[in-house]
Amino acid sequence: MTAGLPPTLARSPAPKQIDYAVLRAEVSIRWILDRIHFTPFSVNGDQWRGPCPLPDHGRHSDREQTFSVNVRRDVYQCFRCKSAGNQINLWAALMHLRYQDAARDLYACFHGIPVTPKIRNPKARPSRTTPPATPRT
């Protein structure tokens, strides 16, 4: 059972309205980085640096330390692709979700609630071609 939540909420699906401040207080950016197996190249106190794990943000060299994370403040920034934000922004970028959908998905994932993924990737849209014509005999 999840600590701090009433038993009915701990077993229920992710609520439609998420309190973003509460979610950011519950989920640390370090928890997200552990889930995606991010390995920083350098750790200097609360500041982690390593390769950018974000997809579709340009091709970064795996040897460059362009991705910076402050684990105390729960913020990140990539100096190459200019992506920055908090835990929900990072989850949205990693999962190709809108901010609101990412908040619900992150809440459900953190609390162990199974969810059906809603991937919003504009590059994955089906093409609008007509189906092939049936061959005439």
Side-chain angles (χ1 to χ4, degrees), residues 63-81:
R63 291 171 288 212
E64 294 181 24
Q65 298 183 23
T66 60
F67 191 74
S68 178
V69 178
N70 188 312
V71 292
R72 183 179 47 82
R73 292 179 49 213
D74 283 327
V75 293
Y76 76 95
Q77 181 175 7
C78 177
F79 298 104
R80 165 88 32 105
C81 63

Side-chain angles (χ1 to χ4, degrees), residues 27-42:
V27 182
S28 71
I29 206 161
R30 189 174 188 166
W31 182 84
I32 295 172
L33 295 175
D34 287 342
R35 295 222 7 129
I36 64 167
H37 307 291
F38 175 75
T39 305
F41 287 154
S42 66

Side-chain angles (χ1 to χ4, degrees), residues 44-115:
N44 185 7
D46 294 332
Q47 201 71 27
W48 292 8
R49 292 189 63 111
C52 183
L54 300 176
D56 301 330
H57 283 268
R59 295 289 149 219
H60 298 28
S61 170
D62 286 346
R63 291 171 288 212
E64 294 181 24
Q65 298 183 23
T66 60
F67 191 74
S68 178
V69 178
N70 188 312
V71 292
R72 183 179 47 82
R73 292 179 49 213
D74 283 327
V75 293
Y76 76 95
Q77 181 175 7
C78 177
F79 298 104
R80 165 88 32 105
C81 63
K82 308 297 184 216
S83 178
N86 59 26
Q87 305 93 308
I88 302 171
N89 297 115
L90 179 60
W91 194 259
L94 289 168
M95 301 298 162
H96 299 283
L97 297 170
R98 294 181 320 182
Y99 190 86
Q100 295 85 357
D101 294 334
R104 280 191 216 102
D105 188 64
L106 182 58
Y107 176 91
C109 189
F110 184 73
H111 292 291
I113 301 169
V115 293

